[in-house]
């Protein structure tokens, strides 16, 4: 039986003396060995991405884009070439797996009776923890960590970011670039108090990830013993301040950790650099798994001096904690409601765990692609749901309405001086959830902005530059990669936010000289 427990459970590993040694190569350096390129890590709730670009030079202001096939390195379970699942799982033997291996081992373990939770949506812990001390002192629950090793949520964050870093650096190394490259990282539009501690915690783990990436390089697939992992994280954490030289925005080992790049600004930056039609007023809606972020820009592209510039328009950016994960939970409840004795059955927890381990996001995507979802549960019962019925679900409809309300509030405080700038205003939908029906519907509805009622002009899902340069796989995944791409390009400065419209517009600039690497 699927839910049968083994007659004799394997022994639960505890701490033991580790003979592992930290790879301290990064500590022998005082600055990145490659000053001509920058790497951006986009740590996502469901999927994480990375991208790199050359640093803007006076003689060639158009950066060279470097695509990074993280999914190929990871062996992504969904077949993605560029993304990696933000997941961590610990086996009964005390081995820590990340990315696709976390998914595979957790799903395979269910047949042996291991009804234990996988740590998905790890990024959400930064939002829900409530403070850095809570993150570093909060231990992984027994249903996640079966060992006696004292692993915390900060440890889990550190190991995943180390894996993400290693995937990106391995891709760079394959193409002849340095592992010790300047890097950036992106963050949601957190509120100021949340951003103050969460971005600093994230920056610290990103820097620490270099030592852990070098130490565990080539070993991820077989799993890392929990005790060894804990020992190496403790050793690496002693050097957090020394590794700040790797982070863009830090001078040497001094100063504080950078606060990260806002995801909607990064998405807007990438679109502006890749699309010569993006100009004047541009609304960017970035739909992830944990949050939906939105931002507004005033964009100038000048053919006279071949420059492009974008200014965030006050209120700049905002976010709502309503995105793909909520739809996953609604789908789970709909499937559970069809099980025999759904409300009281003792099998319900096992059914729910099995569905979560299989991946609710993948099941949801199957439903949106096929128009119907049919699932065989661990009880061998078959349940199904039609897409049309799912979209009529009251909770699903409520998600769409709340998103509309949040964007309406955001646009409603734009200064009235922008009323003269709303002609031909554009909307850009990006992120992993950009293709959801309730998101696509945002393009055709009217909005009140600066005292005018308008309908934003639709932009192509993929900019022409991307379609001309990259293959079909890259184009298909572009919405998920937009933040990482933009984060590696010259970034938009929050300090340049426009409170009032200054007037003026220019013709669009040619992007023919924009160099890109592709496969």
């Amino acid at each position: 039986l699927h839910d049968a427990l083994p007659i004799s459970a394997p022994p639960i590993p505890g701490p033991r003396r580790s003979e592992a040694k930290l790879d301290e190569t990064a500590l022998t350096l005082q600055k990145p060995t490659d000053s001509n390129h920058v790497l951006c890590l986009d740590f996502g709730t469901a999927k994480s991405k990375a991208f790199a670009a050359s640093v803007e030079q006076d003689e060639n202001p158009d950066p060279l884009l470097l695509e990074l096939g993280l999914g190929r390195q990871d062996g992504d379970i969904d077949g993605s070439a560029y993304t990696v699942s933000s997941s961590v799982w610990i086996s009964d033997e005390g081995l820590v797996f990340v990315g696709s291996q976390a998914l595979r081992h957790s799903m395979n373990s269910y047949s042996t009776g291991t009804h234990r939770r996988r740590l998905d949506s790890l990024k959400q812990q930064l939002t829900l923890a409530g403070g850095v001390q809570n993150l570093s002192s909060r231990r992984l629950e027994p249903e996640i960590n079966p060992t006696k090793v004292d692993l915390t949520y900060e440890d889990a964050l550190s190991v995943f970011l180390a894996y993400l870093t290693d995937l990106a650096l391995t891709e760079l190394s394959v193409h002849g670039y340095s592992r010790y490259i300047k890097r950036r990282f992106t963050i949601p539009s957190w509120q100021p108090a949340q951003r103050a501690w969460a971005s600093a915690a994230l920056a610290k783990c990103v820097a620490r990830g270099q030592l852990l990436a070098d130490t565990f390089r080539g070993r991820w697939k077989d799993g890392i013993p929990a005790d060894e992992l804990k020992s190496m994280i403790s050793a690496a954490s002693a050097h957090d301040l020394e590794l700040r030289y790797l982070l863009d925005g830090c001078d040497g080992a001094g100063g504080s950790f950078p606060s990260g790049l806002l995801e909607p600004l990064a998405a807007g930056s990438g679109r502006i650099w890749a699309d010569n039609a993006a100009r004047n007023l541009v609304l960017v809606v970035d739909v992830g798994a944990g949050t939906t972020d939105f931002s507004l820009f005033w964009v100038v592209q000048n053919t006279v001096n071949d420059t492009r510039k974008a200014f965030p328009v006050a209120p700049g950016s905002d976010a709502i904690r309503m995105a793909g994960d909520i739809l996953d939970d609604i789908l789970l409840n709909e499937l559970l409601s069809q099980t025999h004795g759904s409300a009281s059955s003792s099998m319900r927890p096992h059914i729910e765990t099995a569905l979560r381990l299989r991946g609710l996001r993948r099941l949801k995507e199957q439903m949106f692609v096929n128009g119907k979802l049919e699932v065989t549960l661990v009880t061998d019962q078959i349940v199904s749901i039609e897409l049309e019925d799912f979209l009529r679900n009251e909770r699903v409809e409520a998600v769409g309405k709340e998103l509309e309300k949040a964007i309406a509030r955001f646009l409603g405080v734009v200064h009235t001086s922008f009323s003269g700038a709303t002609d031909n205003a554009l909307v850009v939908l990006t992120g992993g959830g950009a293709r959801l029906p309730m998101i696509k519907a945002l393009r055709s509805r009217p909005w009140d902005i600066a005292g005018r009622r308008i309908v934003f002009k639709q932009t192509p899902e993929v900019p022409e530059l991307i379609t001309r340069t990259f293959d079909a796989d890259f184009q298909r995944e572009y919405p998920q990669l937009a933040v990482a791409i933009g984060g590696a390009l010259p970034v938009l400065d929050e300090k340049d936010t426009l409170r009032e419209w200054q007037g003026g517009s220019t013709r669009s600039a040619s992007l023919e000289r924009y160099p890109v690497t592709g496969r």
Side-chain angles (χ1 to χ4, degrees):
L1 295 176
H2 292 290
D3 62 325
L5 292 172
I7 296 176
S8 59
I12 298 177
R16 63 180 185 272
R17 183 180 298 276
S18 175
E19 302 299 328
K21 184 178 181 181
L22 192 68
D23 186 323
E24 298 184 349
T25 303
L27 298 177
T28 66
L29 307 172
Q30 294 183 337
K31 61 181 181 179
T33 55
D34 183 349
S35 60
N36 296 319
H37 299 86
V38 65
L39 167 70
C40 180
L41 300 176
D42 177 21
F43 172 40
T45 301
K47 289 277 195 171
S48 293
K49 294 76 62 179
F51 214 81
S54 63
V55 177
E56 186 178 9
Q57 302 291 337
D58 292 339
E59 63 274 14
N60 182 14
D62 291 323
L64 172 69
L65 297 184
L66 306 173
E67 61 169 291
L68 303 178
L70 304 190
R72 285 188 286 261
Q73 291 284 343
D74 171 69
D76 183 72
I77 198 168
D78 299 319
S80 168
Y82 300 99
T83 68
V84 54
S85 295
S86 304
S87 300
V88 177
W89 190 78
I90 307 174
S91 73
D92 285 338
E93 296 74 26
L95 295 175
V96 180
F97 295 94
V98 284
S100 64
Q101 292 302 317
L103 300 181
R104 289 188 174 92
H105 283 276
S106 62
M107 288 188 286
N108 290 339
S109 73
Y110 200 88
S111 61
T112 68
T114 303
H115 307 305
R116 191 171 61 259
R117 185 160 61 93
R118 184 176 62 233
L119 186 53
D120 293 324
S121 301
L122 182 56
K123 182 180 178 182
Q124 289 290 70
Q125 298 304 320
L126 285 166
T127 300
L128 302 176
V132 66
Q133 293 302 320
N134 186 266
L135 192 69
S136 61
S137 62
R138 181 184 169 200
R139 298 175 180 176
L140 295 180
E141 295 84 352
E143 58 264 32
I144 297 175
N145 178 19
T147 79
K148 295 179 182 178
V149 180
D150 187 21
L151 292 174
T152 67
Y153 274 89
E154 184 180 283
D155 294 333
L157 180 63
S158 294
V159 68
F160 178 76
L161 289 174
Y163 180 60
L164 177 64
T165 297
D166 194 36
L167 291 177
L169 298 180
T170 298
E171 274 286 282
L172 285 169
S173 298
V174 167
H175 298 287
Y177 298 99
S178 170
R179 284 180 65 87
Y180 306 99
I181 185 175
K182 182 80 75 175
R183 65 210 58 178
R184 300 168 180 163
F185 62 94
T186 60
I187 61 172
S189 294
W190 285 317
Q191 294 300 311
Q194 181 80 13
R195 184 176 182 181
W197 74 263
S199 59
L202 189 55
K204 180 176 64 175
C205 291
V206 168
R208 182 187 303 168
Q210 179 71 61
L211 291 177
L212 298 174
D214 290 344
T215 299
F216 296 123
R217 177 170 38 175
R219 295 182 51 197
W220 301 105
K221 185 176 181 180
D222 297 326
I224 308 298
D227 65 318
E228 181 183 351
L229 178 64
K230 183 69 178 184
S231 174
M232 293 299 96
I233 291 176
S234 297
S237 65
H239 303 286
D240 288 343
L241 298 181
E242 300 170 63
L243 295 167
R244 285 183 296 187
Y245 74 85
L246 288 167
L247 303 179
D248 193 31
C250 286
D251 296 324
S256 60
F257 286 104
S259 60
L261 307 174
L262 288 177
E263 291 167 4
L265 294 188
S269 180
R271 187 72 186 212
I272 290 157
W273 278 83
D275 188 352
N276 61 6
R279 58 190 191 127
N280 295 350
L281 210 57
V282 180
L283 172 68
V284 177
V285 181
D286 179 23
V287 188
T291 62
T292 297
D293 297 66
F294 26 90
S295 52
L296 190 66
F297 305 95
W298 176 252
V299 182
V300 176
Q301 300 214 34
N302 195 324
T303 57
V304 177
N305 55 14
D306 200 20
T307 60
R308 55 188 70 83
K309 182 67 175 178
F311 303 90
V313 173
S317 62
D318 203 350
I320 182 173
R321 293 183 194 174
M322 193 162 286
D325 275 359
I326 290 183
L327 297 181
D328 295 349
D329 288 338
I330 296 173
L331 176 60
L332 173 65
N333 288 333
E334 284 293 301
L335 295 174
L336 290 174
S337 70
Q338 298 184 39
T339 61
H340 299 311
S342 60
S344 58
S345 173
S346 61
M347 282 299 298
R348 183 183 175 102
H350 302 319
I351 296 171
E352 178 176 343
T353 299
L355 287 171
R356 289 191 182 279
L357 290 178
R358 288 176 66 176
L360 291 168
R361 182 181 57 82
R362 285 185 294 279
L363 295 176
K364 178 185 66 183
E365 290 176 351
Q366 291 176 24
M367 178 178 63
F368 279 109
V369 170
N370 300 324
K372 179 181 180 180
L373 177 65
E374 190 172 272
V375 182
T376 302
L377 306 177
V378 292
T379 57
D380 292 329
Q381 179 187 355
I382 299 176
V383 296
S384 63
I385 182 171
E386 298 283 344
L387 175 59
E388 290 185 3
D389 293 336
F390 180 76
L391 294 177
R392 284 196 294 265
N393 179 287
E394 289 184 3
R395 292 183 62 198
V396 173
E397 291 182 340
V399 169
K401 291 177 181 177
E402 287 301 314
L403 287 174
E404 290 185 4
K405 289 179 182 178
I407 296 174
R409 286 194 300 267
F410 175 74
L411 296 176
V413 297
V414 174
H415 195 271
T416 55
S417 62
F418 279 93
S419 62
T422 55
D423 290 340
N424 300 315
L426 303 176
V427 61
V428 174
L429 304 180
T430 190
R435 297 184 176 101
L436 294 173
M438 69 278 295
I439 302 301
K440 288 183 177 180
L442 299 177
R443 300 180 300 186
S444 56
R445 63 149 288 173
W447 301 92
D448 293 318
I449 177 173
R452 291 190 63 186
R453 193 165 181 82
I454 69 166
V455 175
F456 285 97
K457 292 181 60 177
Q458 299 181 21
T459 58
E461 185 178 88
V462 182
E464 182 184 355
L465 173 70
I466 301 298
T467 61
R468 285 193 286 109
T469 309
F470 290 104
D471 62 19
D473 287 340
F474 190 94
Q475 293 177 40
R476 182 172 57 253
E477 298 190 45
Y478 170 78
Q480 293 190 75
L481 301 174
V483 169
I485 294 172
L489 293 170
V491 296
L492 304 175
D493 193 343
E494 296 175 68
K495 298 177 183 178
D496 289 337
T497 298
L498 294 178
R499 304 290 173 184
E500 299 181 21
W501 184 47
Q502 306 301 314
S505 177
T506 63
R507 294 173 297 167
S508 60
S510 170
L511 298 179
E512 295 177 355
R513 296 191 297 107
Y514 203 149
V516 188
T517 64
R519 295 181 217 266

